[in-house]
Amino acid sequence: MTQPEQPILAQTRALLASDPDRFASSVFARLFAMRPSLRELFPAEMGTLRASFVDVIDHVLDAIGAPDGHGELVEFLAQLGRDHRKFGVVSEHYWLIYDALMSEFQFAFGNRWTPEVEETVGQAMLLTTGVMRGAAESAEGPPRWHARVVQKFRITRERAVIRLIADGPHPPYAAGQYLETQIPQWPRTWRNFSPAIPSKPQGELEFHVRAVPGGRVSGSIVRDTAVGDVWTFAQRHGTMHIDPARPALLIAGGTGLAPLRALLIDHARFGEPAPVHLFYGTQNPGELYELGVLAQLAGANPWLRVTAVTENTEDPWWLTGGTDPRGWGLEVRYGRVGEVAATYADWRGRQVLLSGPAPMVFHTALRLRAAGVNPDAIQHDPLN
């Protein structure tokens, strides 16, 4: 990036920041005017999508201006292009979005739209749409695949386990990854869910879902999902993994246990892996729904140690009759799972995997770093 282009990129970012929602709304209005049928590819409510759209454009402009940002930017855009296949986006659509972007930038700049500005902004938008288009065209595997619900059971009023079997060929995923997921009750709305078992050749899938307060999709899964429903899946993401040669600390909050459970099951295929200590926490004892499975897994694998953690010592009335963690012969502690785990022992030198609600992951990582754990040794999925 040459010096004269730097102020132009800064001006463009400032223009976006001045009214991001108006900019995104205008771009999409231009796009739908050019090709009305494209509106069907997008969800009815587009507020979140518009915000993400502007974030992407701003990130592109920022990374282009950075001395060493191009490698990361290309991979970011390539992944974005592969992800967009699930929406039904094809190659010609990228030319349309390029035209819509350039038209809106020209309008927004007004009389400041000079040949130099057009050249700089045009190169940035060509890079954005070109890399995404190329990655989508070269991506392997289907853009979508499907699985049918064969079993559902409610654990509590807020949690459910869903089991599915894929309809036909399906791409494998690595244990610990999460899948872009769409349910029939919310078409064109995608959420990320982590399978609780490793990938199976026969296509079996299992998800543990908590109805997040205000969460339309998660709440619908817990309340409305029924046997026979067909779920749609797209790209797999995530890099959480366990190195069998190194001792590991795993900390799970609630249904955040799912990807760690898949990793532990997969980990058991190694002959004598290094020790693993799992802390599994919930608010109430009766919500520790996986203790039976974990007790069996620990009993068959001497390398695994499990500590159950609950914030409360007794269940509320609506959980009466739930799981008593003391009945499984596992160690039980009381408090917040991250705090209990961080102060339990010296974890320096261990690989650490965190999974659960974003606040729990964030604060647990802070406590571990304060206790001397190397930040580079801590893995978790992106926090939303």
Short mmCIF file of all heavy atoms in Angstrom, two decimals, residues 280 290-296 298-299 304-308 325-333:
data_model
loop_
_atom_site.label_atom_id
_atom_site.label_comp_id
_atom_site.label_asym_id
_atom_site.label_seq_id
_atom_site.Cartn_x
_atom_site.Cartn_y
_atom_site.Cartn_z
N TYR A 280 -16.15 -30.04 35.23
CA TYR A 280 -17.45 -29.94 34.58
C TYR A 280 -18.40 -29.24 35.54
O TYR A 280 -18.71 -29.78 36.60
CB TYR A 280 -17.93 -31.34 34.21
CG TYR A 280 -19.36 -31.47 33.77
CD1 TYR A 280 -19.99 -30.51 32.98
CD2 TYR A 280 -20.11 -32.60 34.13
CE1 TYR A 280 -21.30 -30.66 32.58
CE2 TYR A 280 -21.42 -32.76 33.73
CZ TYR A 280 -22.01 -31.79 32.96
OH TYR A 280 -23.32 -31.93 32.55
N GLU A 290 -24.37 -35.16 32.43
CA GLU A 290 -23.46 -36.08 31.77
C GLU A 290 -22.54 -36.82 32.73
O GLU A 290 -21.58 -37.47 32.30
CB GLU A 290 -22.60 -35.33 30.75
CG GLU A 290 -23.29 -35.12 29.41
CD GLU A 290 -23.53 -36.43 28.68
OE1 GLU A 290 -22.56 -37.05 28.18
OE2 GLU A 290 -24.70 -36.86 28.59
N LEU A 291 -22.80 -36.74 34.02
CA LEU A 291 -21.89 -37.38 34.97
C LEU A 291 -21.81 -38.89 34.78
O LEU A 291 -20.75 -39.49 34.98
CB LEU A 291 -22.32 -37.05 36.40
CG LEU A 291 -21.94 -35.66 36.93
CD1 LEU A 291 -22.26 -35.57 38.41
CD2 LEU A 291 -20.47 -35.37 36.70
N GLY A 292 -22.91 -39.52 34.42
CA GLY A 292 -22.89 -40.96 34.22
C GLY A 292 -21.94 -41.36 33.10
O GLY A 292 -21.12 -42.29 33.26
N VAL A 293 -22.02 -40.66 31.99
CA VAL A 293 -21.14 -40.94 30.86
C VAL A 293 -19.69 -40.66 31.23
O VAL A 293 -18.78 -41.45 30.93
CB VAL A 293 -21.55 -40.10 29.63
CG1 VAL A 293 -20.51 -40.23 28.51
CG2 VAL A 293 -22.92 -40.53 29.14
N LEU A 294 -19.46 -39.54 31.91
CA LEU A 294 -18.10 -39.17 32.29
C LEU A 294 -17.51 -40.15 33.30
O LEU A 294 -16.32 -40.48 33.25
CB LEU A 294 -18.07 -37.75 32.85
CG LEU A 294 -18.42 -36.64 31.85
CD1 LEU A 294 -18.50 -35.30 32.57
CD2 LEU A 294 -17.40 -36.58 30.72
N ALA A 295 -18.35 -40.63 34.22
CA ALA A 295 -17.88 -41.61 35.20
C ALA A 295 -17.45 -42.90 34.51
O ALA A 295 -16.42 -43.51 34.85
CB ALA A 295 -18.97 -41.89 36.23
N GLN A 296 -18.22 -43.34 33.53
CA GLN A 296 -17.86 -44.54 32.78
C GLN A 296 -16.58 -44.32 31.99
O GLN A 296 -15.71 -45.20 31.93
CB GLN A 296 -19.00 -44.92 31.83
CG GLN A 296 -20.25 -45.40 32.54
CD GLN A 296 -21.38 -45.70 31.57
OE1 GLN A 296 -21.23 -45.57 30.36
NE2 GLN A 296 -22.53 -46.09 32.10
N ALA A 298 -14.15 -42.17 32.65
CA ALA A 298 -13.01 -42.10 33.57
C ALA A 298 -12.68 -43.49 34.13
O ALA A 298 -11.51 -43.82 34.33
CB ALA A 298 -13.32 -41.13 34.70
N GLY A 299 -13.71 -44.32 34.36
CA GLY A 299 -13.47 -45.64 34.89
C GLY A 299 -12.72 -46.54 33.92
O GLY A 299 -11.96 -47.43 34.33
N LEU A 304 -7.85 -40.18 32.72
CA LEU A 304 -8.87 -39.13 32.86
C LEU A 304 -9.32 -38.99 34.31
O LEU A 304 -9.68 -39.98 34.96
CB LEU A 304 -10.08 -39.45 31.97
CG LEU A 304 -11.27 -38.47 32.10
CD1 LEU A 304 -10.87 -37.05 31.69
CD2 LEU A 304 -12.45 -38.97 31.25
N ARG A 305 -9.32 -37.75 34.78
CA ARG A 305 -9.87 -37.43 36.10
C ARG A 305 -10.96 -36.39 35.92
O ARG A 305 -10.79 -35.42 35.16
CB ARG A 305 -8.77 -36.89 37.01
CG ARG A 305 -9.25 -36.55 38.43
CD ARG A 305 -8.10 -36.10 39.30
NE ARG A 305 -8.53 -35.75 40.65
CZ ARG A 305 -7.72 -35.33 41.60
NH1 ARG A 305 -6.42 -35.20 41.35
NH2 ARG A 305 -8.19 -35.03 42.79
N VAL A 306 -12.09 -36.57 36.59
CA VAL A 306 -13.23 -35.68 36.45
C VAL A 306 -13.60 -35.08 37.80
O VAL A 306 -13.74 -35.80 38.79
CB VAL A 306 -14.46 -36.42 35.86
CG1 VAL A 306 -15.66 -35.46 35.77
CG2 VAL A 306 -14.13 -37.00 34.48
N THR A 307 -13.75 -33.75 37.82
CA THR A 307 -14.23 -33.05 39.00
C THR A 307 -15.53 -32.34 38.64
O THR A 307 -15.56 -31.53 37.71
CB THR A 307 -13.21 -32.03 39.52
OG1 THR A 307 -12.00 -32.70 39.89
CG2 THR A 307 -13.75 -31.27 40.72
N ALA A 308 -16.60 -32.66 39.36
CA ALA A 308 -17.89 -31.99 39.17
C ALA A 308 -17.93 -30.74 40.03
O ALA A 308 -17.48 -30.75 41.19
CB ALA A 308 -19.03 -32.93 39.52
N PRO A 325 -24.55 -35.50 42.10
CA PRO A 325 -23.20 -35.77 41.64
C PRO A 325 -22.41 -36.68 42.57
O PRO A 325 -21.50 -37.38 42.13
CB PRO A 325 -22.57 -34.38 41.56
CG PRO A 325 -23.39 -33.52 42.47
CD PRO A 325 -24.77 -34.08 42.37
N ARG A 326 -22.79 -36.72 43.84
CA ARG A 326 -22.05 -37.56 44.79
C ARG A 326 -22.30 -39.05 44.55
O ARG A 326 -21.53 -39.90 44.99
CB ARG A 326 -22.43 -37.17 46.21
CG ARG A 326 -21.99 -35.76 46.60
CD ARG A 326 -22.74 -35.23 47.78
NE ARG A 326 -24.15 -35.02 47.47
CZ ARG A 326 -25.00 -34.34 48.23
NH1 ARG A 326 -24.56 -33.78 49.35
NH2 ARG A 326 -26.26 -34.20 47.89
N GLY A 327 -23.36 -39.35 43.82
CA GLY A 327 -23.71 -40.74 43.60
C GLY A 327 -22.88 -41.43 42.53
O GLY A 327 -22.98 -42.65 42.36
N TRP A 328 -22.06 -40.68 41.81
CA TRP A 328 -21.27 -41.27 40.73
C TRP A 328 -19.83 -41.57 41.14
O TRP A 328 -19.03 -42.02 40.33
CB TRP A 328 -21.27 -40.34 39.51
CG TRP A 328 -22.61 -40.22 38.87
CD1 TRP A 328 -23.46 -39.16 38.97
CD2 TRP A 328 -23.27 -41.20 38.08
NE1 TRP A 328 -24.62 -39.40 38.28
CE2 TRP A 328 -24.53 -40.65 37.71
CE3 TRP A 328 -22.94 -42.48 37.65
CZ2 TRP A 328 -25.44 -41.34 36.93
CZ3 TRP A 328 -23.86 -43.18 36.86
CH2 TRP A 328 -25.09 -42.62 36.51
N GLY A 329 -19.50 -41.28 42.38
CA GLY A 329 -18.15 -41.59 42.85
C GLY A 329 -17.09 -40.63 42.34
O GLY A 329 -15.90 -40.93 42.42
N LEU A 330 -17.52 -39.48 41.82
CA LEU A 330 -16.57 -38.49 41.32
C LEU A 330 -16.36 -37.39 42.36
O LEU A 330 -17.22 -37.16 43.22
CB LEU A 330 -17.09 -37.87 40.02
CG LEU A 330 -17.29 -38.82 38.83
CD1 LEU A 330 -17.97 -38.10 37.68
CD2 LEU A 330 -15.95 -39.39 38.37
N GLU A 331 -15.25 -36.72 42.25
CA GLU A 331 -14.97 -35.61 43.15
C GLU A 331 -15.95 -34.47 42.88
O GLU A 331 -16.25 -34.16 41.73
CB GLU A 331 -13.54 -35.12 42.93
CG GLU A 331 -13.17 -33.94 43.82
CD GLU A 331 -11.77 -33.42 43.54
OE1 GLU A 331 -11.31 -33.58 42.39
OE2 GLU A 331 -11.16 -32.87 44.46
N VAL A 332 -16.46 -33.86 43.94
CA VAL A 332 -17.41 -32.76 43.82
C VAL A 332 -16.88 -31.54 44.56
O VAL A 332 -16.44 -31.64 45.71
CB VAL A 332 -18.80 -33.14 44.38
CG1 VAL A 332 -19.78 -31.98 44.20
CG2 VAL A 332 -19.33 -34.40 43.69
N ARG A 333 -16.89 -30.39 43.89
CA ARG A 333 -16.52 -29.12 44.51
C ARG A 333 -17.68 -28.14 44.31
O ARG A 333 -18.52 -28.32 43.42
CB ARG A 333 -15.25 -28.55 43.87
CG ARG A 333 -13.99 -29.40 44.10
CD ARG A 333 -13.53 -29.36 45.55
NE ARG A 333 -12.33 -30.13 45.80
CZ ARG A 333 -11.10 -29.61 45.89
NH1 ARG A 333 -10.92 -28.30 45.74
NH2 ARG A 333 -10.06 -30.37 46.13
#
